[in-house]
Amino acid sequence: MRICFVCLGNICRSPAAEAAFAHLAQAEGVEVEVDSAGTADYHIDSAPHHLTLAEAERRGIAIDHRGRQFSAADFDDVDLVVAMDSANERDLLDLARQAGPGAAEKIVRLGSFEDDVDPQDSSTIRDVRDPWGHGPEVFEAMYDHLDQGLRGLLRHVQKQQAGQQSGQQSTRQPGTQ
Ligand code: 4NP
């Protein structure tokens, strides 16, 4: 599964989410392709924020990313586009209108994968707060918050992959691979 994490600037939340999810998936032996992007063009080619990098290092998470802006064409290359907050989600839905059919259905907010969300009530989905301009403790809290949604996302990916495998098995003809 190909997943792109999206925030505003692509230097704080989404590169952290991309790296933390890759780390988690690898630890659990789950195969995913990850990427991240911003809805804005403020930090194209920039390294992640120094506090995003510092907290990743403290947690033993590798980050290797340069800022890029999400475009309508990116919907074709991914299965899931994971927004950090409701403003990112709205901007992505605008872009999805310029993209092909099925694009909007790929958009989801990370908070929707947290344990305490009521699936019937989108007001219970929490945004991942923008830490830009804040100190190291806010970046530490950002990673803690990301972790909750990312663990739920990983369970979702595992279920999808298990479903795909059993689907493949049930459609496989006897005597074929
Ligand atoms: P991010 O944080 O969306 O989590 O990467 C921000 C980084 C930079 C800006 C805004 C948010 N900015 O306005 O430059």
Side-chain angles (χ1 to χ4, degrees):
M1 185 180 279
R2 301 158 303 171
I3 300 173
C4 185
F5 296 93
V6 175
C7 61
L8 176 62
N10 193 214
I11 56 169
C12 301
R13 292 165 292 175
S14 61
E18 174 192 350
F21 193 64
H23 186 84
L24 199 59
Q26 196 185 22
E28 297 290 325
V30 178
E31 266 191 46
V32 283
E33 278 181 47
V34 290
D35 186 16
S36 66
T39 55
D41 62 359
Y42 310 146
H43 298 286
I44 291 171
D45 287 332
S46 298
H49 190 284
H50 68 99
L51 293 174
T52 293
L53 293 173
E55 185 58 22
E57 189 176 2
R58 207 177 70 79
R59 291 173 186 240
I61 295 171
I63 294 199
D64 180 17
H65 185 74
R66 286 290 174 275
R68 72 179 191 91
Q69 186 176 22
F70 194 88
S71 75
D74 285 317
F75 284 108
D76 290 338
D77 299 329
V78 293
D79 302 301
L80 210 54
V81 182
V82 182
M84 296 295 117
D85 66 27
S86 48
N88 309 146
E89 188 179 35
R90 266 197 310 277
D91 290 341
L92 286 165
L93 284 166
D94 282 345
L95 278 175
R97 275 186 217 107
Q98 302 162 34
E105 288 71 29
K106 294 181 177 179
I107 302 167
V108 65
R109 235 187 310 160
L110 183 63
S112 66
F113 295 106
E114 289 179 25
D115 281 340
D116 47 1
V117 167
D118 174 358
Q120 307 301 324
D121 180 3
S122 66
S123 73
T124 62
I125 301 175
R126 288 193 300 154
D127 283 339
V128 181
R129 232 178 100 199
D130 182 354
W132 197 60
H134 293 271
E137 66 290 346
V138 174
F139 281 78
E140 188 183 337
M142 171 189 79
Y143 275 90
D144 286 342
H145 188 182
L146 286 173
D147 190 59
Q148 297 180 40
L150 294 177
R151 285 180 189 277
L153 174 60
L154 191 70
R155 286 194 296 274
H156 169 79
V157 170
Q158 283 173 312
K159 272 190 212 144
Q160 293 275 109
Q161 291 181 345
Q164 274 167 13
Q165 269 167 17
S166 61
Q168 279 163 11
Q169 273 158 16
S170 62
T171 55
R172 193 181 292 156
Q173 297 300 308
T176 62
Q177 276 301 312

